[in-house]
Amino acid sequence: MKTEELNHENSPTEIPALVASSYGVTVFDSLSRVWQRCLAEHLRKVMAGKTSVLNWKEPVDAIAEAEAFLHPDAVGQLTEQERARKFESLLEKMLTSGQNLHHPRYIGHQVPASIPIAGLFDAVGSLTNQPMAIYEMGPWATAVEHAVTRNLCRKVGWNPDTSCGVLTHGGSLANLTALLTARNVVFPDSWEQGLPQNAVLVAHADSHYCVTRSAGILGLGTRQVVKAVLDERRRMDPRKLNELLTEQKAAGRQVLAVCSSACATPIGAFDPLQEVADVCRAHDVWLHVDAAHGGAALMSGTHKHLLAGIDMADSVVWDAHKMMFVPALCAAVLYRDQAHRFQTFQQDAPYLFDPSNPGMAEFDNGTRTIECTKRSTGFGLWGIWALYGEDIFEQMVDRTFAMAQYFHECLRESDDFEPLHTPECNIVVFRYLPTALRGGLAEIMDGLQQELRSRLVKGGDFYIVQTNLNGQAALRVTIMNPLTTELDLAALLEELRAIGQHILSNQP
Ligand SMILES: Cc1ncc(COP(=O)(O)O)c(C=O)c1O
């Protein structure tokens, strides 16, 4: 590396050697080629299913190993070639020690095998570091964020000139942000004086834990979360919601918001939003829809009916890092009424940022998010949308939803598995229940599911998750990889069956 490439002729002092090396564009150029080769080889292997899915290691061992890298010998003396070799070995370590989401047999949590090219756009944000509290610090990142949120609003069915949105680091933060806005709109004095004692949040009984957590953070208190009753398909029951809101009013309580799900995490059930919205309107209550997982169904002509009525919501959360298949994190908070955009934080409102130019507050995203410095989270989504158009999202949704239907059919046709619901999206919950065990002790059935999952995952051939539904332990898959095929799903059942038989015959 030529350190002189960083030392301006007139610089009175020399840039220290390690600093010069780490900033050298020649070094960057050569290491990025190594990076490109390693990543492409890795993806090729993983996508072809030639690696384990999860590279399991006990956490303490993994931490010790990672820490050992932080005490290298004499790095200062490495030649650039030695450093390049070391760079490659570090990459190798990273790539062989993780969860391989791009493996077709990763069928686990609601985190996708992200579109690799989206990672390339994201990497531009990492590399050029465009933190975006204010427009000037990330002008293009801000433009991209406005462009994608305007288009998400359009998909929700809102006019992008009268609605608005902001990106945050994840669905949990997005729900907190939306509920904070609702709190400030519904209780305008709450920012300064706190919430009245009679405030409650009505939430889908299966809502993601971040909703109750938000109630704790917002000063409402988790005990002030009232669970909305679900129907037999685990969807919010609008008739019961109506009764509940009537009861709350009669009891002198004030509702901060109704938090509905599209879809809810446990089995992916979509609330009947149209009816829920009608009830909320009749009671003049803020409707928040957590569409972190299911929002992307709006991109699909076949499945968008699941979200009919979402345009009547006051706020919506939609995670692009779930069913739009971009890398974590990219979550949108969307408001139907643009007037609410500065309600999240009321202290000095927008003009704090540049008193001489109040119009710029519109584009200083820090006015609307909990974060001050924020990663340019929109590049992956914007890049993929620009490169492939909306159709790619439709294809992703249709493909993964169809695979879940296929899997459900397989479960129904087998005599040793039991599907616990009919899937509405790409989430399927089921149990392994060989005929001989049916009607047996609940603890034995539950223990069997847990042991099955543990052995399966540690074996490395598949990754699925476990859950608890109606008090029963169960297995859960979410098809988050468009490369997962019918063959992978059939093989999963075969493997579960084989492990199950081993367990039942008391073999280790
Ligand atoms: C319905 C729903 N809301 C919110 C979240 C939380 O999103 P995140 O993990 O991005 O914080 C999840 C996560 O699975 C979810 O399923």
Side-chain angles (χ1 to χ4, degrees):
M1 209 311 281
K2 303 178 207 82
T3 53
E4 59 272 21
E5 95 186 13
L6 283 180
N7 279 314
H8 300 294
E9 269 171 29
N10 300 333
S11 172
T13 54
E14 192 165 324
I15 293 174
L18 290 183
V19 177
S21 163
S22 63
Y23 280 74
V25 178
T26 314
V27 169
F28 174 77
D29 190 21
S30 76
L31 293 191
S32 59
R33 285 161 208 264
V34 173
W35 181 92
Q36 186 272 333
R37 175 172 49 76
C38 289
L39 264 290
E41 274 167 16
H42 173 74
L43 278 180
R44 211 166 276 129
K45 261 195 289 179
V46 172
M47 288 181 179
K50 291 191 177 143
T51 61
S52 294
V53 185
L54 169 65
N55 292 296
W56 173 258
K57 194 167 241 189
E58 291 300 331
V60 281
D61 297 336
I63 294 165
E65 207 183 333
E67 201 174 348
F69 282 96
L70 301 183
H71 306 288
D73 297 327
V75 274
Q77 273 108 60
L78 291 183
T79 63
E80 291 307 342
Q81 268 164 348
E82 286 166 338
R83 207 182 300 282
R85 278 200 293 278
K86 180 152 191 179
F87 174 77
E88 185 163 347
S89 74
L90 292 175
L91 278 185
E92 195 60 25
K93 185 73 216 161
M94 292 168 80
L95 294 173
T96 54
S97 309
Q99 169 70 273
N100 285 324
L101 282 84
H102 293 86
H103 194 298
R105 296 185 174 183
Y106 163 84
I107 328 173
H109 286 287
Q110 293 155 261
V111 181
S114 52
I115 304 168
I117 297 162
L120 297 182
F121 287 110
D122 246 19
V124 177
S126 286
L127 212 116
T128 59
N129 202 17
Q130 302 289 301
M132 34 186 312
I134 57 169
Y135 177 73
E136 289 169 13
M137 288 303 287
W140 190 245
T142 307
V144 158
E145 174 158 334
H146 279 250
V148 295
T149 50
R150 281 174 61 82
N151 277 276
L152 294 176
C153 284
R154 198 174 271 130
K155 296 309 287 186
V156 167
W158 296 333
N159 176 348
D161 294 330
T162 55
S163 55
C164 72
V166 70
L167 297 181
T168 70
H169 292 124
S172 303
L173 194 57
N175 278 312
L176 174 64
T177 307
L179 292 173
L180 178 55
T181 306
R183 188 196 78 165
N184 293 341
V185 172
V186 177
F187 301 104
D189 296 333
S190 58
W191 184 264
E192 289 181 353
Q193 294 174 18
L195 277 162
Q197 292 283 309
N198 64 350
V200 290
L201 175 68
V202 174
H204 188 291
D206 274 349
S207 57
H208 189 265
Y209 70 80
C210 69
V211 171
T212 313
R213 190 179 270 192
S214 296
I217 299 170
L218 293 175
L220 179 71
T222 56
R223 289 206 190 146
Q224 298 299 96
V225 178
V226 181
K227 300 234 160 121
V229 178
L230 307 184
D231 65 14
E232 69 295 342
R233 285 165 57 190
R234 301 185 88 90
R235 307 171 319 154
M236 194 182 277
D237 182 328
R239 205 172 42 81
K240 297 268 171 53
L241 176 68
N242 188 31
E243 287 167 16
L244 187 111
L245 292 178
T246 309
E247 280 162 25
Q248 294 300 315
K249 191 170 180 190
R253 304 215 178 89
Q254 294 186 78
V255 178
L256 187 157
V258 166
C259 187
S260 180
S261 300
C263 52
T265 314
I267 60 165
F270 285 77
D271 286 346
L273 295 179
Q274 187 73 58
E275 286 119 294
V276 167
D278 287 340
V279 172
C280 289
R281 290 259 168 112
H283 288 266
D284 194 20
V285 165
W286 181 287
L287 172 60
H288 172 66
V289 178
D290 178 0
H293 187 83
L298 286 167
M299 305 306 254
S300 158
T302 312
H303 298 290
K304 66 179 178 202
H305 66 91
L306 292 165
L307 293 132
I310 195 167
D311 55 315
M312 290 172 75
D314 294 285
S315 53
V316 168
V317 160
W318 178 347
D319 282 4
H321 64 269
K322 289 191 168 62
M323 293 301 292
M324 292 177 94
F325 294 84
V326 301
L329 290 160
C330 180
V333 186
L334 308 172
Y335 301 109
R336 180 167 47 81
D337 183 350
Q338 206 176 71
H340 294 139
R341 67 198 183 286
F342 294 126
Q343 298 282 111
T344 326
F345 306 99
Q346 295 189 335
Q347 71 280 35
D348 277 312
Y351 312 106
L352 169 76
F353 277 68
D354 183 357
S356 68
N357 192 359
M360 282 310 282
E362 190 64 50
F363 308 103
D364 291 340
N365 280 331
T367 52
R368 307 189 215 171
T369 53
I370 291 169
E371 304 100 320
C372 173
T373 302
K374 184 178 87 170
R375 276 173 75 98
S376 43
T377 52
F379 280 155
L381 179 60
W382 173 81
I384 291 300
W385 202 321
L387 205 53
Y388 292 95
E390 280 180 24
D391 291 358
I392 188 165
F393 304 118
E394 174 166 41
Q395 290 183 11
M396 291 287 202
V397 167
D398 289 355
R399 163 87 188 166
T400 52
F401 281 30
M403 282 303 119
Q405 286 300 334
Y406 171 83
F407 188 59
H408 179 249
E409 275 310 305
C410 295
L411 295 170
R412 270 176 15 105
E413 282 167 12
S414 76
D415 54 12
D416 49 359
F417 287 96
E418 177 192 35
L420 297 186
H421 65 110
T422 305
E424 288 185 62
C425 60
N426 55 339
I427 299 173
V428 189
V429 181
F430 63 104
R431 277 159 71 87
Y432 172 62
L433 280 187
T435 333
L437 285 190
R438 293 195 183 211
L441 280 176
E443 303 92 87
I444 294 182
M445 309 288 180
D446 286 354
L448 177 59
Q449 313 309 312
Q450 285 151 359
E451 183 62 21
L452 247 185
R453 192 263 171 185
S454 165
R455 290 198 195 186
L456 179 81
V457 166
K458 289 191 178 161
D461 290 341
F462 287 90
Y463 184 80
I464 67 169
V465 302
Q466 67 187 47
T467 187
N468 196 294
L469 203 64
N470 302 324
Q472 296 181 320
L475 304 168
R476 180 174 183 271
V477 299
T478 312
I479 322 279
M480 294 300 287
N481 184 341
L483 306 180
T484 300
T485 67
E486 291 89 342
L487 297 178
D488 297 309
L489 297 170
L492 169 63
L493 292 188
E494 276 312 310
E495 182 130 341
L496 284 171
R497 209 169 259 137
I499 299 174
Q501 281 159 10
H502 255 78
I503 297 172
L504 293 173
S505 60
N506 283 326
Q507 291 177 33

